[in-house]
Each structure stands twice: as structure tokens, then as C-alpha cells.
Amino acid sequence: MTIDYARSALIIVDVQNDFCPGGALGVESGDDVILPLNRLSFKFAENGGRVIATQDWHPRGHISFETWPEHCVMGSRGAEFHEKLDLKPVNLIIRKGFRPELDSYSAFFENDRKTSTGLAGFLKSLSIDQVLIGGLATDYCVLYTALDAATLGLKTIVLKDAVRGVGIPEGSIEKALKQLEEAGVLLIDSADIR
């Protein structure tokens, strides 16, 4: 698949220590997303595309800790990007979930579906109309980021080889992939990007 890099952005979702194996909320094989994302981010940088990374950034006592184990506490090692994720090509880091009473899955909006992270405005200001999404986790932050991107009218691609899911509850990954297809999101491998 040929893409127009000047009008495209790669969104790397939450590749943080706490979401990788050994982390507080580790996704099985979560670190397998790093190699394809690093390759693609350099391809974007070399061809004038933009690379955005998101980071869960929770205060202590955050509302999400009622549902999930405590994770990605601001300033902690768990909140840091995985050491193998190369941040050199990254143009923008979006920190989300820092409001104590408001959780945040999507790179575009907090979970109240109203509070913007500013990402949509950033992309619009650069005339970007297509996003490619990889990272963690397929059935939560990747899913909501992709659904919001599609709703905002962006051509949206999820990179199948560069995402991994939590799988809680059972069947959530399959359900997420079905939701993405129904929303018109394209699911392809990063190797198919030219």
C-alpha cells in the first residue's frame, strides 16, 4: 500500500513499561510491537511524515485503578516508554489520563468523549488526513484511538503486526477487530506500507 507521508501520521499508542511483559498491566508479547513500529517511524521521518507517541500518565489514586491494577503512575519507571522504543523520530508526545476523575483510552479524547487531548487540532493544522496506528492494547487504547480517528473523518489504518491485546474479558480482542472493520478501519501489516 502506497501512502502520502506528507499527509499521514503514525500514532504509537502506550508502548510503556507497565503495558509490556513484566509490567503492572503487562500485555502478553506486548514488546513485539516495538520492532515494526521503530522501522515504520524511521520510514515516516525520512519521508516527511509525522510520528506521535501517546503515554498513559496517571496521578496516584487515579479512577482507572478501581478497574485495573495501579499502572503508569506519572514519573514512575512503569510510565516510561519501553527502552527499545526509539523516540528519535517522534514529533509529539500526548500524555493522557492525568485528570484524577477521568480515564483516557483514546489518543484523541478522554473517556467522557468531550475533553480533547489536542491531537485532532494538531493533525488538522498540518493537513494530515490519514493515520496509521500501532501499540497497546488492541482492545482498549488502540481500539478507541482508531474509532475516534475514523469518526473524525481521518483515513484510519491499524497495523496488525504492531498491536497486541489484553484479552480481558475473554473475546475482547476479536470483538475489537470486528468493531474496527465495521467502522471502516483498514487492518494491514506494517510490511505492506510503501
Side-chain angles (χ1 to χ4, degrees):
M1 179 183 182
T2 306
I3 65 164
D4 179 354
Y5 286 96
R7 297 183 67 95
S8 301
L10 173 64
I11 303 176
I12 298 172
V13 178
D14 298 358
V15 182
Q16 295 166 260
N17 289 324
D18 270 346
F19 294 132
C20 289
L25 196 46
V27 174
E28 190 178 337
S29 306
D31 48 354
D32 287 354
V33 305
I34 296 170
L35 189 61
L37 288 173
N38 280 346
R39 276 196 203 122
L40 202 52
S41 65
F42 276 97
K43 196 183 278 192
F44 264 73
E46 287 161 12
N47 291 285
R50 303 290 171 153
V51 181
I52 295 129
T54 71
Q55 196 173 21
D56 250 18
W57 197 249
H58 298 317
R60 294 215 172 270
H62 189 257
I63 192 167
S64 70
F65 304 158
E66 294 172 13
T67 313
W68 301 104
E70 187 173 288
H71 63 280
C72 299
V73 173
M74 14 172 105
S76 70
R77 187 185 175 280
E80 289 171 13
F81 290 108
H82 192 284
E83 62 184 10
K84 289 185 179 167
L85 182 71
D86 200 322
L87 296 174
K88 286 193 285 292
V90 173
N91 305 106
L92 176 70
I93 292 171
I94 297 271
R95 285 181 167 164
K96 58 192 181 66
F98 53 81
R99 295 171 178 86
E101 296 302 318
L102 195 52
D103 204 1
S104 184
Y105 292 154
S106 169
F108 291 95
F109 297 100
E110 305 279 17
N111 284 5
D112 64 355
R113 318 307 305 135
K114 294 191 294 266
T115 306
S116 170
T117 64
L119 179 55
F122 176 77
L123 297 178
K124 191 175 181 182
S125 73
L126 296 168
S127 302
I128 288 169
D129 58 14
Q130 177 168 268
V131 292
L132 291 82
I133 302 166
L136 305 169
T138 312
D139 36 351
Y140 289 95
C141 297
V142 168
L143 170 67
Y144 286 93
T145 297
L147 292 176
D148 281 347
T151 300
L152 289 164
L154 295 160
K155 286 178 236 151
T156 307
I157 296 166
V158 167
L159 304 161
K160 291 187 295 185
D161 60 323
V163 293
R164 294 292 182 276
V166 178
I168 299 171
E170 196 176 325
S172 60
I173 298 169
E174 295 76 13
K175 185 181 171 192
L177 294 173
K178 189 167 183 278
Q179 277 181 272
L180 291 170
E181 286 181 338
E182 286 170 355
V185 174
L186 200 57
L187 299 166
I188 63 171
D189 284 330
S190 64
D192 297 330
I193 303 295
R194 291 186 296 282

